[in-house]
Amino acid sequence: LADAAADVLAQAVAVDSARGRTATADLDWRRVRRSTLAALVSDDIPFLLWARLLHEASHRYVLAARRVLSPPLARALTHPASLAATKALLSQIVYESATAVAYLGLQAYMRGGGAAEAWAEVRAKFWRVWVDGLAFFSATYLVVFALPHYSMQVVVDNIASLVFNMYLSHVSHRKRGPPVPHSNSFCPR
């Protein structure tokens, strides 16, 4: 439901201000279905699995650290804030990269493009989406992963994702320019 709402809101915000208000009949409902499916497949279900994986791995890590490391070092490395920061960092690097590629590729493919079109879409839009996701989810993930159980993390992530999914829907339906040129810096221009 949140994914559908995100695309409806993205379409409503994108309406030309000269036209005034948007009626629900003016919305592209096929786009809403496409965006909802892309978000469900690329983010919602995978995040449930990702959060569970991190939750279970962190419990094993804590037990191992307490057995192997000195007590002060084990306390520092297994502190809930340290665990949340580590999970947030891993999520930004691994999870967000994969979901950005999946979402952009799925959107292009479901609009009728083939694999080549999906890859071109990813190449043109990935870095901007990933950098913007880095800015948005850095603080969000610290809050999400500070929650004690992964089921609560999924709920909070989905609420926060409503805003980011509006942005993703907007970007994925925007006309594509040339691919972002690679540079020697960490964040391409």
Side-chain angles (χ1 to χ4, degrees):
L1 188 59
D3 297 325
D7 187 65
V8 168
L9 290 170
Q11 287 187 55
V13 168
V15 169
D16 184 15
S17 60
R19 285 187 54 207
R21 292 189 178 165
T22 301
T24 56
D26 293 336
L27 295 174
D28 181 351
W29 291 103
R30 287 190 348 214
R31 173 183 155 169
V32 172
R33 286 191 305 270
R34 204 172 44 241
S35 295
T36 301
L37 181 61
L40 183 68
V41 169
S42 69
D43 185 41
D44 297 345
I45 295 169
F47 189 78
L48 175 64
L49 301 172
W50 176 255
R52 183 176 179 171
L53 172 77
L54 289 179
H55 182 75
E56 292 173 359
S58 67
H59 281 297
R60 286 192 292 271
Y61 166 77
V62 167
L63 294 174
R66 288 181 181 159
R67 277 194 315 265
V68 175
L69 302 174
S70 68
L73 184 58
R75 269 193 306 278
L77 293 177
T78 61
H79 189 277
S82 297
L83 293 174
T86 302
K87 290 175 184 180
L89 180 64
L90 282 171
S91 295
Q92 285 296 134
I93 294 168
V94 177
Y95 179 78
E96 285 301 321
S97 298
T99 62
V101 167
Y103 185 87
L104 292 169
L106 280 169
Q107 280 283 12
Y109 191 80
M110 288 190 296
R111 281 194 304 266
E117 175 68 19
W119 179 242
E121 183 87 352
V122 169
R123 287 188 58 220
K125 297 177 180 178
F126 171 79
W127 282 110
R128 182 74 271 151
V129 167
W130 189 81
V131 169
D132 292 343
L134 184 66
F136 181 82
F137 280 108
S138 293
T140 303
Y141 278 154
L142 288 174
V143 172
V144 166
F145 292 120
L147 295 170
H149 196 265
Y150 74 90
S151 60
M152 294 165 47
Q153 296 167 1
V154 170
V155 170
V156 173
D157 177 71
N158 279 331
I159 292 168
S161 292
L162 172 65
V163 174
F164 196 71
N165 285 350
M166 283 175 53
Y167 163 77
L168 274 179
S169 178
H170 170 71
V171 167
S172 69
H173 289 91
R174 189 171 55 201
K175 294 258 187 261
R176 179 172 71 236
V180 176
H182 296 290
S183 69
N184 292 332
S185 68
F186 177 71
C187 295
R189 292 180 204 124

